[in-house]
Amino acid sequence: MSMSLPYAEPLVPREPGERVVPEPPRRGDPGGPPCSICGGETTGPVWSDDNWTLHPPVGGSLPGTVWLASRVHADSFNDLPEPLRADFGRVVARIERAILSLGGFARVHLYRWGDGGAHFHVWLIPRPLGMVEAAGMMLPLWEEVLPNVPDEELAAAAARVAAAM
């Protein structure tokens, strides 16, 4: 398998910027903007249970991508209540099976970035079948440069994921 960057060579390394300490507060942090997930300012869930909500993205290029958020406002795996940590694998496995059941995907990648907001959420991004250059850590880079599809298409695909769960 030959994964590759979605950019033409040569790429030129650069030095990182100055460190910012303390770091600025994120959405949902004390002193930061309000949590958009708690405030209902995100896309509406296509599926939910007592612990989790599943949402379609906006401005994306890969239909079938969804993001999963905890109902409780917790920052990280470490901050989730134990019952949610125990339930996480069960629900992610259901979502992965549902995404793969749509067809046309080789793998589903699970990503958690904690820099945008302080509410626990993870992204499940399907790698299109045969798109080996986007394997592994390259998938989110390719997702950023591929042309976006209409948000309605992303929402419809997320609804199909929810129905398959």
Side-chain angles (χ1 to χ4, degrees), residues 11-103:
L11 297 177
V12 180
R14 62 183 186 143
E15 293 296 316
E18 291 291 320
R19 304 271 172 118
V20 178
V21 179
E23 292 190 0
R26 301 163 296 162
R27 290 182 316 277
D29 273 338
C35 176
S36 55
I37 296 173
C38 289
E41 298 172 9
T42 64
T43 57
V46 293
W47 174 89
S48 64
D49 69 6
D50 291 342
N51 296 327
W52 309 101
T53 58
L54 187 68
H55 304 259
V58 294
S61 62
L62 295 173
T65 298
V66 291
W67 56 275
L68 177 71
S70 60
R71 284 194 176 269
V72 300
H73 184 87
D75 185 11
S76 182
F77 283 102
N78 187 52
D79 303 311
L80 286 172
E82 177 58 34
L84 271 70
R85 286 194 302 257
D87 190 44
F88 180 75
R90 178 195 64 84
V91 74
V92 167
R94 284 184 66 194
I95 298 166
E96 179 183 32
R97 276 193 305 271
I99 292 170
L100 290 172
S101 78
L102 299 180

Side-chain angles (χ1 to χ4, degrees), residues 80-154:
L80 286 172
E82 177 58 34
L84 271 70
R85 286 194 302 257
D87 190 44
F88 180 75
R90 178 195 64 84
V91 74
V92 167
R94 284 184 66 194
I95 298 166
E96 179 183 32
R97 276 193 305 271
I99 292 170
L100 290 172
S101 78
L102 299 180
F105 301 120
R107 304 276 184 275
V108 176
H109 294 257
L110 175 69
Y111 298 98
R112 183 195 176 275
W113 294 283
D115 290 329
H119 191 118
F120 182 83
H121 63 290
V122 296
W123 288 85
L124 291 98
I125 305 176
R127 181 177 60 77
L129 184 63
M131 192 176 179
V132 295
E133 66 273 16
M137 65 186 205
M138 296 300 153
L139 184 60
L141 298 174
W142 278 98
E143 196 282 331
E144 282 291 318
V145 300
L146 292 170
N148 283 352
V149 299
D151 289 343
E152 297 79 19
E153 187 176 339
L154 296 171

